[in-house]
Amino acid sequence: MSSPATLRRAVFLDRDGTIAEETGYVNHLSRFCIFPFAAAAIRRLNDVELAVIVVTNQSGVARGFFPEEMVRRVHEKMTQVLAASGARVDGIYYCPHKTEDRCECRKPHPGMLERAAREHGLELPGSFLVSDRFADLDMGRAVGCRSVLVLTGYGRGEYEWNRTRWPQLPDHVAEDLTAAVDWILQEAR
Ligand SMILES: [Mg+2]
Ligand SMILES: [Zn+2]
């Protein structure tokens, strides 16, 4: 890539509703169901050397619904399932707080993106953010990422009922992560 430093571009992926079914609070491993198409989609990003970073709000920790250990186990399972299909994520960031904690990391604050950029040498402008929630896309916009809304999880309902109230539309709307990756690979060239 053309960047003078060795900064890489990234694709930031929301977890629930984007990589896996949106099942509400994932307070047990049995509630974490990765989409059957997720691994193949992520592998295509791996192949073109875009960094793949998962960013997820897990306020169930701050609310006392489950321990932080639960989040780690889910991510272990996610990593294993992806690896079994030859896919990998380069980093996983989660915010364990709730809104009232006023942290810097809870989406739509861009804290997780900025931290990932420092720790992985990423160039945020020109990177991409994919989520099933419109509010999540703001975190990417704030730092120059292009945004893709997927229609899995909450996406279809958000798009159908709320889009007339959005101050701006996502850069792209995709049926699911596979279609999001199709678009990203075209745009990232
Ligand atoms: Mg989501
Ligand atoms: Zn936080």
Side-chain angles (χ1 to χ4, degrees), residues 42-65:
I42 290 171
R43 201 172 54 225
R44 288 165 66 209
L45 298 173
N46 298 151
D47 287 346
V48 296
E49 294 179 14
L50 287 163
V52 178
I53 308 281
V54 176
V55 287
T56 178
N57 281 351
Q58 294 298 325
S59 69
V61 175
R63 293 176 208 282
F65 296 163

Side-chain angles (χ1 to χ4, degrees), residues 155-170:
R156 192 173 304 280
E158 289 234 331
Y159 190 65
E160 181 151 346
W161 304 114
N162 300 338
R163 73 174 181 268
T164 55
R165 297 200 296 270
W166 293 341
Q168 59 189 119
L169 289 173

Side-chain angles (χ1 to χ4, degrees), residues 135-165:
D136 283 359
L137 302 181
D138 276 344
M139 92 186 294
R141 273 196 212 101
V143 293
C145 297
R146 275 185 286 172
S147 59
V148 183
L149 181 81
V150 283
L151 297 179
T152 47
Y154 289 115
R156 192 173 304 280
E158 289 234 331
Y159 190 65
E160 181 151 346
W161 304 114
N162 300 338
R163 73 174 181 268
T164 55
R165 297 200 296 270

Side-chain angles (χ1 to χ4, degrees), residues 94-97 103-106:
Y94 63 92
C95 165
H97 310 111
C103 66
E104 298 286 302
C105 46
R106 184 171 167 79

Side-chain angles (χ1 to χ4, degrees), residues 8 10-15 18-20 32 34 38-47 49-56 72 74-94 116 120 122 177 181:
R8 290 167 85 192
V11 180
F12 296 99
L13 299 176
D14 168 55
R15 192 188 83 185
T18 301
I19 296 175
F32 184 71
I34 203 159
I42 290 171
R43 201 172 54 225
R44 288 165 66 209
L45 298 173
N46 298 151
D47 287 346
E49 294 179 14
L50 287 163
V52 178
I53 308 281
V54 176
V55 287
T56 178
R72 276 191 286 273
V74 169
H75 293 161
E76 222 173 79
K77 179 177 172 183
M78 179 175 74
T79 305
Q80 285 166 2
V81 171
L82 292 175
S85 298
R88 59 153 216 290
V89 296
D90 299 277
I92 303 175
Y93 293 84
Y94 63 92
H120 293 270
L122 306 175
L177 185 58
V181 168

